[in-house]
Amino acid sequence: MLNTVLLGGGNIAHHLFVVIRELTSVNLIQCYNRNIEAIKSFEKHLEITDDLNKLKDADLYIIAVSDNAIAEVSATLPFSDRLVVHTSGSMPMNELAEKNRRGVFYPLQTFSKEKPVDFSEIPICLEAENQKDLNTLKTLANALSDKVYEMNSHQRKTLHIAAVFVNNFVNHLYYIGNDLCEKDKIPFEILHPLIKETSEKLMKVNPKEAQTGPAIRNDIKTINSHLDQIENNAYKDIYKILTASIINTYGREEL
Amino acid sequence: MLNTVLLGGGNIAHHLFVVIRELTSVNLIQCYNRNIEAIKSFEKHLEITDDLNKLKDADLYIIAVSDNAIAEVSATLPFSDRLVVHTSGSMPMNELAEKNRRGVFYPLQTFSKEKPVDFSEIPICLEAENQKDLNTLKTLANALSDKVYEMNSHQRKTLHIAAVFVNNFVNHLYYIGNDLCEKDKIPFEILHPLIKETSEKLMKVNPKEAQTGPAIRNDIKTINSHLDQIENNAYKDIYKILTASIINTYGREEL
């Protein structure tokens, strides 16, 4: 039985609390948060504290706090040589204080409070300083998800950057599409089937082969005609830079 | 019974040929293409021709050719005062020669030859010069799709621009994410659930509210750390411009 303590009171901490508590192979024994009000709802299920000095003995401490608090929380832990992990995609493992055995337990997904998530579908990326600790993290990760990956801090950061492109930036392009439609009184729902098709195609076809549109055809007439109609200068610049990047990506091959 | 002639030999023409031919309420009587070889496979089902002077009498002529050929083909038609439509998203209705009654029949989807499409899910955007012709186009559109919209040329062009953002540009962001992962030997499949989640969320939540990531948090430390790790200058520029646009979109509200 893996005794675990969870530190943090944000989105990830809340989601981890819910799914870890359900496991039979892992025992969530305590939750910590600096602001105890944020984890008050955990109290009926297990011990909560806002005092790092009252942390119980455990096999694993999961620090699920914001990126810029990881160093401080881990440095303030009143013990050493125990397994301590953070849950951040962009922070390296050595953001954690050196006095403990370090690791990373990074679930790759956008968590919102409103929407329940199916954790078994969420990829979990693991890193640890030694094989024994990695195995401990695997025990937890495999109990939660069918998709468990080992990777180093550099790879995890690249993955996080790639996630910014395919999730945060993609959503912003959806926003722009929506905004353009609204301004001309076109129901954005017209574009839903196309959006669905584009993301589903990706699961079957490499995005390099799936590319369509005026840029890959080098259709300068349509490109200029689009730029003429776009009034918002920021959108115009985004249109230009992405079009140039597509032309450059496919043009290079002919050299 | 609506007698229809189809002109063109590309992707859209092929898909329209397949689905219109199946309709009982519409009679596809002839197909034309300048290069007859491209529509040779239609010959066992109906008359084909490469001579505009041999076009049959019909209630509707659908010009499904590339954007820059629409004007010429429509000007060369050896008749007048008949209903002639094109299938382009970015071209205005008056790209068609004035001698005939003009209209637009624009199915909004990316068509690839390999992949069969469920036409009933594809939005079809209609425009015509008068109500009677619009009704004729509705007869055909409603027989093919559950999603039929009327819109003018300006709106259709805006829709096409929005489609470039949410389809072509989104796919290019998928390509960049894939490329970043490949270079660091990370399986891109790790990002598939996140991509699926991002596009599905859009169907339920307005993209403005769905935005997450370092840019909307104005998390300059993470943004700079990402920019440090991205080696490709084109990707760096795209990261910067989209981050600035997100910050600007949400920052404006606080003014």
Side-chain angles (χ1 to χ4, degrees):
Chain A
M1 184 68 91
L2 188 70
N3 286 322
T4 304
V5 170
L6 180 63
L7 300 92
N11 271 338
I12 298 190
H14 274 83
H15 278 103
L16 286 176
F17 170 79
V18 171
V19 292
I20 296 178
R21 211 169 57 81
E22 280 174 0
L23 298 177
T24 50
S25 56
V26 177
N27 195 13
L28 189 60
I29 56 172
Q30 192 184 27
C31 285
Y32 158 90
N33 199 43
R34 196 176 41 181
N35 164 20
I36 198 122
E37 286 308 314
I39 57 169
K40 204 73 187 175
S41 64
F42 298 178
E43 198 173 21
K44 56 177 174 282
H45 305 289
L46 83 181
E47 191 185 309
I48 63 171
T49 180
D50 58 0
D51 184 351
L52 287 175
N53 288 307
K54 291 192 179 151
L55 288 184
K56 294 188 171 183
D57 260 19
D59 304 305
L60 171 63
Y61 297 82
I62 302 174
I63 302 185
V65 302
S66 63
D67 284 3
N68 47 24
I70 293 170
E72 195 198 323
V73 171
S74 71
T76 316
L77 293 175
F79 49 73
S80 62
D81 198 32
R82 299 189 194 169
L83 178 55
V84 175
V85 302
H86 72 61
T87 58
S88 164
S90 56
M91 286 294 170
M93 182 167 69
N94 61 18
E95 182 77 4
L96 294 163
E98 213 178 344
K99 63 184 173 184
N100 282 294
R101 298 182 338 259
R102 301 175 290 188
V104 178
F105 185 94
Y106 171 48
L108 174 80
Q109 191 61 296
T110 49
F111 294 101
S112 52
K113 267 177 203 142
E114 318 86 58
K115 203 167 168 285
V117 288
D118 178 4
F119 230 90
S120 68
E121 286 293 312
I122 294 180
I124 299 178
C125 306
L126 304 179
E127 185 178 7
E129 289 184 293
N130 65 64
Q131 190 60 44
K132 188 165 168 286
D133 289 338
L134 189 64
N135 289 342
T136 301
L137 295 181
K138 276 186 188 167
T139 302
L140 174 59
N142 286 326
L144 291 174
S145 170
D146 301 330
K147 293 166 180 174
V148 178
Y149 300 86
E150 287 175 52
M151 62 180 67
N152 63 37
S153 290
H154 179 89
Q155 288 175 310
R156 192 173 54 256
K157 187 168 162 186
T158 294
L159 182 66
H160 189 241
I161 294 168
V164 168
F165 277 91
V166 303
N167 169 27
N168 305 151
F169 291 166
V170 161
N171 187 71
H172 189 55
L173 296 184
Y174 292 160
Y175 164 78
I176 293 173
N178 188 36
D179 191 44
L180 290 168
C181 285
E182 270 183 7
K183 285 199 169 54
D184 277 335
K185 303 197 187 341
I186 304 157
F188 186 56
E189 290 70 39
I190 303 185
L191 288 167
H192 282 182
L194 183 63
I195 287 168
K196 193 164 170 269
E197 163 87 9
T198 307
S199 67
E200 284 174 0
K201 208 179 193 181
L202 178 76
M203 315 298 162
K204 294 167 218 150
V205 185
N206 185 296
K208 182 145 194 185
E209 281 131 48
Q211 190 64 51
T212 56
I216 193 175
R217 294 194 309 268
N218 216 336
D219 177 353
I220 304 297
K221 202 178 151 192
T222 299
I223 292 166
N224 285 335
S225 149
H226 284 173
L227 286 170
D228 277 347
Q229 181 151 324
I230 300 172
E231 287 171 7
N232 181 309
N233 283 327
Y235 299 172
K236 231 186 251 262
D237 289 343
I238 292 169
Y239 188 104
K240 280 183 199 166
I241 202 170
L242 287 169
T243 293
S245 180
I246 293 170
I247 291 175
N248 193 39
T249 299
Y250 296 87
R252 270 195 305 244
E253 294 194 334
E254 288 159 25
L255 292 178
Chain B
M1 184 67 93
L2 188 70
N3 286 322
T4 305
V5 169
L6 181 64
L7 300 91
N11 270 337
I12 298 189
H14 274 83
H15 279 103
L16 286 176
F17 170 79
V18 170
V19 293
I20 295 177
R21 213 170 55 81
E22 280 174 1
L23 298 177
T24 50
S25 55
V26 177
N27 196 14
L28 190 60
I29 56 171
Q30 190 185 28
C31 284
Y32 158 89
N33 199 44
R34 195 176 42 182
N35 164 22
I36 197 122
E37 287 307 315
I39 56 169
K40 204 73 188 174
S41 64
F42 298 178
E43 198 172 20
K44 56 177 173 283
H45 305 289
L46 82 182
E47 190 186 310
I48 63 171
T49 180
D50 58 1
D51 184 353
L52 288 174
N53 288 307
K54 292 194 178 149
L55 288 184
K56 296 189 172 182
D57 259 17
D59 305 303
L60 171 64
Y61 297 82
I62 303 174
I63 303 186
V65 302
S66 62
D67 283 3
N68 48 23
I70 293 170
E72 194 199 325
V73 171
S74 70
T76 317
L77 293 175
F79 49 73
S80 62
D81 198 32
R82 299 188 193 170
L83 178 55
V84 174
V85 302
H86 71 62
T87 59
S88 164
S90 56
M91 286 296 170
M93 181 168 70
N94 60 19
E95 182 77 4
L96 294 163
E98 214 177 346
K99 63 184 173 184
N100 281 293
R101 300 185 332 263
R102 300 175 290 187
V104 178
F105 185 95
Y106 170 47
L108 174 80
Q109 191 61 295
T110 49
F111 294 101
S112 51
K113 267 179 204 141
E114 317 86 56
K115 204 166 168 286
V117 288
D118 177 5
F119 230 90
S120 68
E121 286 294 311
I122 294 180
I124 299 178
C125 306
L126 305 179
E127 185 179 7
E129 289 183 293
N130 65 64
Q131 189 60 44
K132 189 167 168 284
D133 289 338
L134 189 64
N135 290 342
T136 301
L137 296 181
K138 276 186 189 170
T139 303
L140 175 58
N142 286 325
L144 291 174
S145 170
D146 301 329
K147 294 166 180 175
V148 177
Y149 301 87
E150 287 177 52
M151 64 179 68
N152 63 38
S153 290
H154 179 87
Q155 289 175 309
R156 192 174 55 256
K157 187 167 162 187
T158 294
L159 182 67
H160 190 241
I161 294 169
V164 168
F165 277 91
V166 303
N167 169 27
N168 305 151
F169 291 166
V170 161
N171 187 71
H172 189 56
L173 295 184
Y174 293 160
Y175 164 78
I176 293 173
N178 188 36
D179 192 44
L180 290 168
C181 285
E182 270 183 7
K183 286 199 166 55
D184 277 335
K185 303 196 187 344
I186 304 158
F188 186 57
E189 290 69 38
I190 303 185
L191 289 167
H192 282 182
L194 182 63
I195 287 166
K196 193 162 171 272
E197 162 87 9
T198 306
S199 67
E200 284 175 359
K201 208 180 192 178
L202 178 75
M203 314 298 162
K204 293 168 219 150
V205 186
N206 185 297
K208 181 145 194 184
E209 281 131 48
Q211 189 64 51
T212 56
I216 192 175
R217 294 193 309 268
N218 216 335
D219 178 354
I220 304 296
K221 202 177 151 190
T222 299
I223 291 166
N224 285 333
S225 150
H226 283 173
L227 287 169
D228 277 348
Q229 181 151 324
I230 300 171
E231 287 171 7
N232 181 309
N233 283 328
Y235 299 172
K236 230 187 252 264
D237 289 342
I238 292 168
Y239 188 103
K240 281 182 199 166
I241 202 170
L242 287 169
T243 293
S245 179
I246 292 170
I247 291 175
N248 193 38
T249 299
Y250 296 86
R252 269 197 305 244
E253 295 195 335
E254 290 159 25
L255 293 177

